[in-house]
Amino acid sequence: MIEKAMTEELRTGLLLSGLTEEQLERVTGHAARIGLDEGQLLFSQGDPAERFYLVLKGQVRLFRLSPEGAEKVIEIVAPGQTFAEALMFLDVPRYPVCAAALCPTDLIGIDARDFANMLRDSVDTCFILLGNLSRRLRALIGEIDNVTLHTATSRVARYLLMKLPAGCRALDLEMRKGILASRLSIKPETFSRVERNLIDQGAIEVQGNHVTILDQAALEEIAKPGHSQELTLMPCASAAQPIREQ
């Protein structure tokens, strides 16, 4: 019954949804359920990459640490998404980033070596994986464009517009503002200044993590490339605790 439940959970992942029943059962037989508390570390930069992961509930932040301890958030992984799957193709894979839970999070850890062996028998599954990796690559290219072509102010405005639900004038930020600042490659104090400037201009109203768009046209203009604002990176601390497999 437990294995059957995990098999159904695996179907929720875009990468895994196209697998046959037999393939899903094979993946389940080598998988482990993992629970993380808020802030808990899943793996560290440089650890051996023996598994890739599917997020079932919660959010995982992927980040890199500089030698000085500065942190840069690379990606926020949401339910239904997988991460670290590309590493299965390396001879001696190691995680290039750290991973930690943004909130209480449930994941499934998938045996990377066995999954790679299964791919050798299924061309269709290989194409599904390649499509997933291609989408991830396009997203990373978009991130490079965002950092190089947009200032801090336009990045914040662009993010708010991107996350604004269709037909709505308000949104709730999905993460702490310090994490969001790192995700946008700006310092937290810069993020605070940008937020205050947007409020003073009458573009937005902010109450905690709840943001109301007061002037969408103005925000769209600010979001365009070329808005003058200093580009900076953010340092922040991370917390590490041992993970638990269920």
Side-chain angles (χ1 to χ4, degrees), residues 167-221:
C168 296
R169 295 180 58 245
L171 68 150
D172 291 314
L173 300 179
E174 300 172 338
M175 63 197 80
R176 297 190 305 274
K177 291 180 181 179
I179 298 294
L180 177 55
S182 179
R183 185 72 183 87
L184 298 176
S185 295
I186 58 179
K187 292 182 178 179
E189 56 268 29
T190 301
F191 183 91
S192 296
R193 286 198 298 271
V194 169
E195 183 181 68
R196 173 48 56 189
N197 287 338
L198 293 176
I199 292 171
D200 291 344
Q201 292 176 47
I204 64 173
E205 182 180 78
V206 179
Q207 293 183 336
N209 273 9
H210 186 76
V211 180
T212 302
I213 309 300
L214 300 178
D215 190 339
Q216 186 165 335
L219 200 63
E220 289 172 351
E221 185 64 29

Side-chain angles (χ1 to χ4, degrees), residues 40-55:
Q40 191 171 352
L41 200 67
L42 176 63
F43 56 73
S44 295
Q45 193 172 315
D47 284 352
E50 298 175 347
R51 294 182 183 274
F52 68 94
Y53 299 89
L54 167 68
V55 178

Side-chain angles (χ1 to χ4, degrees), residues 10-155:
L10 288 169
R11 294 183 194 276
T12 64
L14 179 63
L15 172 63
L16 306 166
S17 60
L19 298 182
T20 65
E21 189 68 27
E22 182 181 358
Q23 289 172 325
L24 284 169
E25 290 176 358
R26 174 172 173 171
V27 173
T28 299
H30 294 83
R33 190 184 303 277
I34 297 169
L36 298 175
D37 297 323
E38 181 178 351
Q40 191 171 352
L41 200 67
L42 176 63
F43 56 73
S44 295
Q45 193 172 315
D47 284 352
E50 298 175 347
R51 294 182 183 274
F52 68 94
Y53 299 89
L54 167 68
V55 178
L56 299 175
K57 183 184 73 173
Q59 290 180 313
V60 173
R61 84 181 193 275
L62 306 181
F63 60 99
R64 285 184 63 85
L65 293 173
S66 71
E68 295 77 27
E71 177 184 302
K72 171 65 180 81
V73 176
I74 304 298
E75 188 174 4
I76 303 297
V77 189
Q81 295 180 322
T82 53
F83 60 98
E85 61 269 36
L87 301 176
M88 74 176 82
F89 300 111
L90 301 179
D91 291 335
V92 186
R94 293 187 177 275
Y95 296 115
V97 297
C98 303
L102 273 176
C103 55
T105 300
D106 293 332
L107 312 96
I108 294 179
I110 299 165
D111 188 297
R113 179 175 295 180
D114 185 73
F115 196 92
N117 288 335
M118 187 178 71
L119 289 178
R120 293 186 174 93
D121 302 323
S122 175
V123 174
D124 289 341
T125 307
C126 288
F127 274 100
I128 293 172
L129 179 62
L130 287 173
N132 188 62
L133 296 179
S134 295
R135 284 188 290 273
R136 187 76 56 82
L137 178 60
R138 286 200 299 271
L140 291 174
I141 291 173
E143 288 297 321
I144 294 173
D145 286 344
N146 192 34
V147 171
T148 57
L149 301 179
H150 293 262
T151 63
T153 301
S154 65
R155 267 177 271 165

